[in-house]
Amino acid sequence: MGSCRKLSKGRIKLAAGTLYGVLTNLQKKGWIVLVSEEIKERKKKEYLITERGKKTLEAEINRLEELVDNGHKYLNK
């Protein structure tokens, strides 16, 4: 959760419940898979992005880049 806050420069702060809900949805969509789960004092789960997830992420990046490009074009009219 700390890396999300760091990447967003403090704009995004995920609570544990929110994070687990997102991970569940990503698994249901086939975008990530659970690869390990350790049970010690607490559970630690590790996930990997799937090929389907990578393609979806790439498509979303392209969509966002297009939005940014359109914004720049609009401002430079």
Side-chain angles (χ1 to χ4, degrees):
M1 286 184 282
S3 62
C4 182
R5 185 178 299 166
K6 186 176 179 181
L7 282 171
S8 69
K9 297 179 183 168
R11 290 186 312 273
I12 298 173
K13 298 173 188 169
L14 290 177
T18 303
L19 179 61
Y20 296 131
V22 168
L23 290 171
T24 298
N25 287 333
L26 293 175
Q27 279 186 280
K28 285 180 182 178
K29 291 178 179 183
W31 295 351
I32 62 171
V33 291
L34 178 65
V35 293
S36 71
E37 185 173 358
E38 296 177 17
I39 301 176
K40 294 180 185 175
E41 299 166 7
R42 61 183 187 149
K43 293 181 183 180
K44 178 182 177 186
K45 296 181 179 182
E46 294 181 0
Y47 299 87
L48 284 178
I49 190 168
T50 63
E51 284 303 314
R52 185 176 180 183
K54 287 178 185 178
K55 288 178 183 177
T56 302
L57 177 59
E58 187 174 307
E60 182 62 7
I61 290 169
N62 290 336
R63 185 187 74 82
L64 293 171
E65 285 175 341
E66 182 180 351
L67 286 173
V68 170
D69 287 344
N70 289 339
H72 287 296
K73 287 175 188 174
Y74 179 78
L75 289 175
N76 294 324
K77 276 187 168 181

